[in-house]
Amino acid sequence: MDRRKHGRRIEVQAAQGLSFHPIAQTKAAHQRPFPCADKERNMSDRVTQFNTAGQALADAANAVREASDEDLAGAQAKFLVANEEFQRCSTNMAAEDEARAVAPFTPRPVTDPNLVGLSDGETRDYSLVRAIRAQMTGDWSDAGLEREASDEIAKRLSKTAGGFFVPTEIQQKRAMTSGDATFAGDLIQTTVLGSSFIELLRHRLAVVQAGATYLGGLTGNIAIPRQTAAGTFYWVGATDNSVITAASNPTVDQVTMTPHVGGAYTDIGRSLILQSSVDVENMVRNDLAKIIALGIDAAALSGSGTPPVPKGIASQSSVGSVVGGTNGAAPTWANIVGLETAVAAADADLGSMAYIVNAKTRGYLKSTPKVATYSAAMMWDNSSPDAPVNGYKTVVSNQVRSTLTKASGSGLSEIFFGNFADLIIGQWGTLDILVDPYTGGTAGTVRIIALQDVDVCVRHGESFARMADAVC
């Protein structure tokens, strides 16, 4: 494929969340011999109706995207009518398509504004390394698809990329097949299925492993309702005419989330960037997923809340506390159970309950009995790998700090426990990749910088408890 003549156009998607594959416009594209001329004419009519309805739906989708606030309601109404007609035509086509071995055309649901409508082939053909190489050299002639996808996202977000935007399709799905030149298969020695970048990121996030709620594809500021006080229960007598004299309505406020720009970088050898290898592609994505996850974990657990840093669990005022000692203390089994008790006492012991500890604490728990001299059972139960501490899932992350101080104590560790479903990780937009060929120029390395808009919020601080002075 001559990429210099590459003229793909990213299809516009409607605000209602539909994207479209190209529709065959010629009769030949759908024809096969039929025994009856009437059937052939009927099929031709259905193809014409189908194509007309598809074009009308695409036009209506564009109208919704371009509509002013005053015209939006009318444009959406026309879109719904066009969509209903298209669905009718699609249903009529399905039976004939199956008979002729033509795959029926089906709209694909889209909820993320950073989904630009790449086909499966385009998704496979997209190369993060090729885009990095193009930005490094300033020559995008061999990266037309990557440049066009980034430009489309920038247009939708009304935001200029610091480097280039990576479509959500690429973060969600990567698959390249050897031997298929159309999908860059000639560059691959064996079949390789690249992992989803978003899944790589989620698997790296300790807080998500513990059950945190992950919200992606956000736009604008987010407000999440939260009940802060329950209504009051009263008994009403049947004969003494007693009445409720005090208000009993629950009170509600909002937890807000706003984008915070987080950055991470990795240094890669210049010669490696010049390689056309899916292994290099996977290595770059793995490195970026790892460092972004470490940053998000740190903010979610211990972010100070001082701009531009999000406010993590440790900085929430209503989080339960278990204290070891004046200068810190080695955690006891009573401390471990006390974290659970603090959450339960606030009626918050439900959902995704888990501990998060660092590697030092795990080592201590594995080598310390629950009750000194009276028990051979260690605090960390190796016989129960899914719930090794106090019957709960336990995640290990060195983003849990081990350098805290208290009075004369130093090198103290945190231990977290709680319902991590009440910890929310929000992600706006898509990855913005910058290439810095200068910082490591004398060492022959290229710095790849990834920027992502993220925020962290806690729905209820009472859902968590923390020990901040563990000597391990």
Side-chain angles (χ1 to χ4, degrees):
M1 178 176 66
D2 185 356
R3 295 186 61 83
R4 290 175 175 79
K5 296 183 179 180
H6 173 69
R8 304 177 208 247
R9 180 180 180 276
I10 306 299
E11 296 292 334
V12 177
Q13 300 169 17
Q16 293 286 10
L18 294 176
S19 61
F20 307 98
H21 294 294
I23 301 174
Q25 299 292 333
T26 62
K27 177 179 177 181
H30 293 273
Q31 275 189 325
R32 281 181 60 189
F34 273 74
C36 175
D38 287 341
K39 289 184 178 180
E40 188 65 39
R41 283 193 297 271
N42 289 340
M43 182 59 184
S44 178
D45 290 342
R46 288 193 183 98
V47 170
T48 300
Q49 293 170 3
F50 182 77
N51 289 338
T52 300
Q55 186 59 53
L57 184 56
D59 292 342
N62 285 334
V64 170
R65 188 171 67 85
E66 301 293 340
S68 64
D69 291 342
E70 294 78 8
D71 298 334
L72 182 59
Q76 289 176 331
K78 291 179 180 179
F79 176 86
L80 293 175
V81 172
N83 184 52
E84 183 177 350
E85 175 63 14
F86 177 79
Q87 295 295 342
R88 185 187 68 80
C89 293
S90 180
T91 300
N92 290 339
M93 282 282 291
E96 296 288 354
D97 280 343
E98 184 176 355
R100 294 165 183 265
V102 175
F105 177 77
T106 306
R108 294 180 298 174
V110 174
T111 58
D112 190 334
N114 305 294
L115 285 168
V116 295
L118 295 178
S119 67
D120 289 342
E122 288 170 326
T123 300
R124 285 187 288 261
D125 194 32
Y126 186 102
S127 170
L128 181 61
V129 171
R130 188 163 54 221
I132 291 172
R133 187 164 60 240
Q135 194 186 11
M136 182 178 72
T137 62
D139 180 7
W140 288 84
S141 60
D142 195 42
L145 172 62
E146 293 78 10
R147 179 65 174 270
E148 197 166 358
S150 178
D151 290 347
E152 177 64 19
I153 293 173
K155 179 180 177 182
R156 294 184 185 189
L157 297 178
S158 299
K159 179 180 179 181
T160 301
F164 62 90
F165 289 125
V166 181
T168 298
E169 288 99 326
I170 305 306
Q171 299 182 56
Q172 288 180 334
K173 178 182 179 183
R174 289 290 298 156
M176 301 182 74
T177 306
S178 62
D180 187 341
T182 303
F183 299 152
D186 288 344
L187 305 180
I188 309 170
Q189 295 180 347
T190 56
T191 299
V192 178
L193 298 178
S195 301
S196 155
F197 181 86
I198 289 178
E199 286 307 309
L200 284 172
L201 178 59
R202 288 178 177 173
H203 291 165
R204 292 280 189 177
L205 284 165
V207 291
V208 171
Q209 293 178 48
T213 302
Y214 187 97
L215 303 178
L218 302 178
T219 57
N221 295 337
I222 304 299
I224 302 171
R226 171 178 63 181
Q227 183 174 327
T228 57
T232 306
F233 181 81
Y234 292 87
W235 293 104
V236 179
T239 59
D240 60 1
N241 296 321
S242 61
V243 297
I244 297 175
T245 58
S248 61
N249 294 326
T251 59
V252 177
D253 68 358
Q254 292 182 331
V255 179
T256 59
M257 301 182 74
T258 58
H260 293 65
V261 180
Y265 69 84
T266 184
D267 292 330
I268 300 175
R270 181 181 296 269
S271 59
L272 197 62
I273 291 295
L274 299 178
Q275 303 296 316
S276 295
S277 167
V278 74
D279 293 328
V280 175
E281 188 91 13
N282 287 335
M283 185 196 74
V284 171
R285 290 203 322 276
N286 272 285
D287 279 355
L288 291 176
K290 177 180 178 180
I291 53 184
I292 291 173
L294 289 175
I296 295 174
D297 267 341
L301 293 171
S302 307
S304 65
T306 301
V309 181
K311 190 174 185 178
I313 295 172
S315 300
Q316 302 288 331
S317 60
S318 52
V319 169
S321 177
V322 170
V323 178
T326 302
N327 303 310
T332 64
W333 185 244
N335 294 145
I336 298 299
V337 175
L339 292 167
E340 175 193 27
T341 303
V343 173
D347 294 324
D349 54 336
L350 45 83
S352 300
M353 306 290 287
Y355 289 92
I356 299 184
V357 301
N358 59 35
K360 286 175 60 178
T361 302
R362 175 177 59 183
Y364 173 85
L365 297 177
K366 281 188 171 184
S367 58
T368 305
K370 293 181 180 179
V371 181
T373 72
Y374 292 102
S375 173
M378 299 298 170
M379 294 193 205
W380 185 288
D381 184 1
N382 285 319
S383 66
S384 180
D386 293 333
V389 178
N390 195 22
Y392 292 101
K393 181 176 184 177
T394 304
V395 178
V396 179
S397 170
N398 285 328
Q399 294 308 97
V400 176
R401 295 175 294 183
S402 61
T403 57
L404 300 178
T405 60
K406 183 179 182 182
S408 63
S410 61
L412 307 180
S413 292
E414 297 171 296
I415 300 175
F416 292 92
F417 178 78
N419 170 21
F420 281 88
D422 273 354
L423 176 66
I424 301 175
I425 310 295
Q427 176 183 331
W428 284 258
T430 188
L431 277 177
D432 186 357
I433 305 293
L434 291 78
V435 179
D436 173 11
Y438 307 110
T439 299
T442 57
T445 61
V446 176
R447 176 157 293 180
I448 311 302
I449 304 168
L451 300 178
Q452 177 68 66
D453 290 349
V454 177
D455 197 12
V456 175
C457 78
V458 173
R459 291 193 68 188
H460 300 283
E462 297 83 358
S463 295
F464 301 93
R466 169 177 170 259
M467 182 177 182
D469 61 351
V471 177
C472 298

